[in-house]
Amino acid sequence: MAGRRVNVNVGVLGHIDSGKTALARALSTTASTAAFDKQPQSRERGITLDLGFSCFSVPLPARLRSALPASEAASDAGPEPAAPQLQVTLVDCPGHASLIRTIIGGAQIIDLMMLVIDVTKGMQTQSAECLVIGQIACQKLLVVLNKIDLLAEGKRQAAIDKMTKKMQKTLENTKFRGAPVIAVAAKPGGPEAPETEAPQGISELIEGQGTVMTGTILSGSISLGDSVEIPALKVVKKVKSMQMFHMPVTSAMQGDRLGICVTQFDPKLLERGLVCAPESLHTIHAALISLEKIPYFRGPLQTKAKFHITVGHETVMGRLMFFSPAPDDFDHEPVLDSFDFSREYLFQEQFLCKDTALADSGEADQQVGQATKGHCPRQQWALVEFEKPVTCPRLCLMIGSRLDTDIHSNTCRLAFHGTLLHGLEDKNYAESILPRLKVYKLKHKQGLVERVMDDYSVIGRSLFKKETNIQLFVGLKVHLSTGELGVIDSAFGQSGKFKVHIPGGLSPESKKILAPVLKKRGRAGRGEVAREEEGMERPEPSQPVTLSLTFKRYVFDTHKRMVQSS
């Protein structure tokens, strides 16, 4: 908002060739230099390649007058005050599948989305992806059925009604249920109709005075003479002048589309990025995020998998590690504005969701499967490690995608969305910060009691491999299937056997079960003579008695210690 004007940003999204740019041109009275595909590359290819910005204004509805500052509202009492305006800034997004990064970036600066549908084709692949992005990034939707002039005149209204019902049904299970559907012909005559002249933009109005940076204010405000930082370059510059759609302004605030002029800055150094108050943003190498899977994405989200991570206008590759609360905390209320390093978290091989069965591929998975009993935690997190650093504010939106998926596969490439709770700024975060992150794997091993030594000790086997250093496990508690609690005391021989001390002693029932019965240690094959040592007999319990060992191992513990609950 600037002066007696309230600004609202409206995204124009949809499948390629649905007529988005034509719609933006038809609505707009003022355009920036980045409007209506004026880039040479866009004209050459005949498609939108980057975000385009234009606007129009209407009288501010009475119900929105409260959005004006008190000083501006009071000025209405003056002689013939200018009527306050609602400025609608249109953000024209590309539609081609390969430009999804740009589409996601544009969606993060809009208040309302216009989903443009070619009425002759209906919902298409990128229409669906834009709808998913809209559900994540904004609260209001308007569906525009474009190109109705291409419908046969006698059947036009019937076709519009049919497509309107289809769109309403599509939106039924989204937060946009009941959104209005409007039919238009943004460019009568179809794609071959002549282009209209596009107005000139901000940079040409103040050409020669410095470098102009255009953008949308995400938060806060700015005034003439303020210093701004370009965090990606670690450069601070002073604002020399500002304009908003041809009009010089002295201040602007959240939501406004603005051009600012700074001096002694080479525009070739930055094509797109963030500008902020000095030292208010930081560059991070990894992040802890709270996330949710996008239900339309097929397949599991696996730990160690790489995704395209979009933060604002930047998309980088990132590797993820998923973790959840401890099983007893699955129903805790989600916390979406901070990350608690004092809590313990359970490592997950994949993001847990109702439609994904836990893989029975390892000890940790089996244990988690038993602990969760089929229900999922209310909140899950991930450690995201970026292949190159990113600059972004805390609590910003992150979207994970598989942009290398075949664009003709008719599948959703958007995998998850999340909120950045904690950024890791130190390049050496693996040594300086991650040891504070208490994510553990739950390990479970099982062996057998081989024989009783005395009332307070037994010999165990099949819990460790022959080459295992049993000394590392000395002092850990084991549970006998007969009910006693034991402690691993020492190794016994060189074959992986071990001695277990039982502080409370064996019960009479356990002694009876463990009473030795002589059994052959081996047997000769047919026509062979067994060697003497193979034919020797040794005592074994009359019934098998198992030894269970359960412990935690913290993923980022440099000492790889094994920890048991008291």
Side-chain angles (χ1 to χ4, degrees):
M1 179 167 53
R4 297 172 55 75
R5 183 191 309 111
V6 174
N7 185 80
V8 61
N9 295 317
V10 177
V12 187
L13 288 83
H15 196 85
I16 187 171
D17 288 335
S18 57
K20 298 180 297 299
T21 302
L23 177 63
R25 181 184 287 109
L27 289 170
S28 301
T29 56
T30 306
S32 73
T33 51
F36 311 144
D37 300 342
K38 289 199 292 188
Q39 295 176 329
Q41 300 94 328
S42 291
R43 291 187 178 278
E44 182 180 337
R45 295 181 59 183
I47 62 173
T48 301
L49 295 177
D50 206 346
L51 300 178
F53 296 90
S54 57
C55 79
F56 65 92
S57 296
V58 295
L60 184 68
R63 66 180 183 279
L64 297 180
R65 295 291 176 94
S66 59
L68 287 170
S71 59
E72 297 289 344
S75 69
D76 285 350
E80 297 186 8
Q85 297 288 300
L86 174 64
Q87 177 177 277
V88 178
T89 299
L90 299 175
V91 184
D92 182 15
C93 297
H96 196 277
S98 62
L99 301 171
I100 189 73
R101 296 172 177 83
T102 305
I103 299 170
I104 293 172
Q108 296 185 63
I109 60 173
I110 64 176
D111 304 302
L112 178 147
M113 184 173 93
M114 282 199 298
L115 181 62
V116 184
I117 303 293
D118 183 337
V119 73
T120 65
K121 297 177 181 178
M123 283 289 286
Q124 296 171 271
T125 303
Q126 271 62 65
S127 309
E129 287 191 339
C130 290
L131 181 57
V132 172
I133 293 168
Q135 287 198 87
I136 297 168
C138 64
Q139 299 300 318
K140 299 290 184 180
L141 175 77
L142 172 65
V143 178
V144 178
L145 302 181
N146 196 15
K147 303 187 180 182
I148 63 171
D149 56 300
L150 300 182
L151 298 172
E153 190 169 349
K155 301 179 180 178
R156 183 173 298 170
Q157 192 56 50
I160 292 171
D161 292 343
K162 184 177 179 181
M163 186 58 68
T164 299
K165 288 179 181 178
K166 279 187 177 181
M167 291 307 304
Q168 289 170 340
K169 187 171 183 181
T170 298
L171 299 176
E172 266 186 7
N173 295 320
T174 74
K175 69 179 180 182
F176 301 129
R177 182 178 183 179
V181 180
I182 298 173
V184 302
K187 189 177 181 183
E192 301 305 319
E195 296 284 348
T196 56
E197 179 103 3
Q200 299 304 303
I202 296 172
S203 60
E204 294 176 3
L205 290 173
I206 50 176
E207 184 178 2
Q209 297 185 26
T211 299
V212 176
M213 295 182 286
T214 60
T216 300
I217 301 178
L218 299 177
S219 64
S221 61
I222 186 171
S223 297
L224 201 61
D226 284 351
S227 293
V228 294
E229 180 186 5
I230 305 166
L233 303 175
K234 306 298 182 188
V235 170
V236 176
K237 294 291 178 183
K238 181 168 283 191
V239 178
K240 184 178 179 182
S241 62
M242 302 192 304
Q243 288 196 2
M244 192 181 297
F245 290 105
H246 299 287
M247 296 171 50
V249 293
T250 57
S251 65
M253 60 188 299
Q254 180 175 339
D256 286 337
R257 181 72 190 169
L258 187 69
I260 62 174
C261 180
V262 298
T263 58
Q264 298 180 344
F265 177 72
D266 183 356
K268 295 179 181 177
L269 296 176
L270 184 72
E271 179 181 357
R272 176 162 283 156
L274 292 170
V275 175
C276 62
E279 299 185 1
S280 62
L281 289 183
H282 302 281
T283 300
I284 61 175
H285 298 268
L288 296 170
I289 69 171
S290 173
L291 77 161
E292 294 181 29
K293 183 182 178 183
I294 292 173
Y296 309 108
F297 181 77
R298 296 175 185 170
L301 306 180
Q302 299 279 9
T303 282
K304 295 185 179 178
K306 286 186 176 181
F307 292 87
H308 295 86
I309 309 296
T310 301
V311 187
H313 288 288
E314 194 168 4
T315 298
V316 299
M317 293 299 294
R319 188 186 300 275
L320 274 70
M321 183 198 80
F322 297 100
F323 54 97
S324 71
D328 290 343
D329 298 335
F330 270 24
D331 294 324
H332 279 199
E333 191 73 24
V335 178
L336 301 176
D337 60 356
S338 62
F339 184 83
D340 189 352
F341 278 92
S342 67
R343 288 179 61 184
E344 291 197 348
Y345 303 91
L346 179 61
F347 171 88
Q348 300 291 356
E349 290 289 351
Q350 62 186 42
F351 183 89
L352 299 178
C353 53
K354 293 177 182 178
D355 60 345
T356 305
L358 283 169
D360 191 18
S361 58
E363 294 166 354
D365 286 334
Q366 293 172 13
Q367 191 69 16
V368 171
Q370 295 166 11
T372 60
K373 296 180 182 177
H375 84 285
C376 298
R378 295 183 61 185
Q379 184 175 16
Q380 296 181 64
W381 301 268
L383 167 67
V384 185
E385 298 182 271
F386 304 113
E387 287 194 350
K388 66 175 186 177
V390 298
T391 302
C392 55
R394 184 175 163 272
L395 300 181
C396 68
L397 172 67
M398 283 191 175
I399 296 179
S401 314
R402 278 281 170 79
L403 302 182
D404 49 356
T405 304
D406 182 2
I407 61 175
H408 303 294
S409 63
N410 197 26
T411 184
C412 181
R413 297 174 294 167
L414 308 174
F416 64 85
H417 64 95
T419 303
L420 191 155
L421 301 180
H422 188 90
L424 280 58
E425 299 173 36
D426 189 348
K427 188 175 182 180
N428 299 313
Y429 64 88
E431 292 79 31
S432 62
I433 301 174
L434 290 189
R436 292 172 51 204
L437 181 58
K438 292 183 278 191
V439 176
Y440 65 88
K441 293 183 178 180
L442 203 54
K443 298 287 188 178
H444 182 71
K445 293 178 175 287
Q446 200 164 58
L448 293 169
V449 173
E450 183 178 79
R451 60 188 174 91
V452 176
M453 289 191 71
D454 54 47
D455 288 353
Y456 292 90
S457 56
V458 297
I459 301 300
R461 63 178 173 86
S462 303
L463 194 64
F464 306 112
K465 296 178 181 178
K466 182 179 179 179
E467 60 272 16
T468 300
N469 181 5
I470 296 177
Q471 191 61 35
L472 297 174
F473 295 86
V474 169
L476 294 184
K477 294 175 285 189
V478 293
H479 290 270
L480 280 68
S481 57
T482 49
E484 288 85 0
L485 177 66
V487 179
I488 297 176
D489 189 58
S490 63
F492 188 80
Q494 303 297 318
S495 60
K497 295 179 184 179
F498 53 97
K499 182 180 177 182
V500 176
H501 173 65
I502 303 170
L506 292 168
S507 68
E509 293 80 7
S510 298
K511 291 178 188 177
K512 188 174 180 181
I513 293 172
L514 291 166
V517 175
L518 292 181
K519 291 193 176 182
K520 293 267 186 179
R521 195 172 175 187
R523 62 179 182 179
R526 187 177 298 173
E528 297 177 358
V529 179
R531 291 184 299 179
E532 183 179 352
E533 61 270 22
E534 288 179 333
M536 289 179 63
E537 295 180 331
R538 63 179 176 83
E540 285 193 357
S542 58
Q543 297 179 29
V545 175
T546 59
L547 291 164
S548 297
L549 171 64
T550 302
F551 59 90
K552 298 176 183 177
R553 179 166 271 167
Y554 292 91
V555 175
F556 302 111
D557 181 7
T558 54
H559 301 290
K560 303 297 182 186
R561 288 168 291 202
M562 290 161 285
V563 179
Q564 290 181 313
S565 302
S566 56

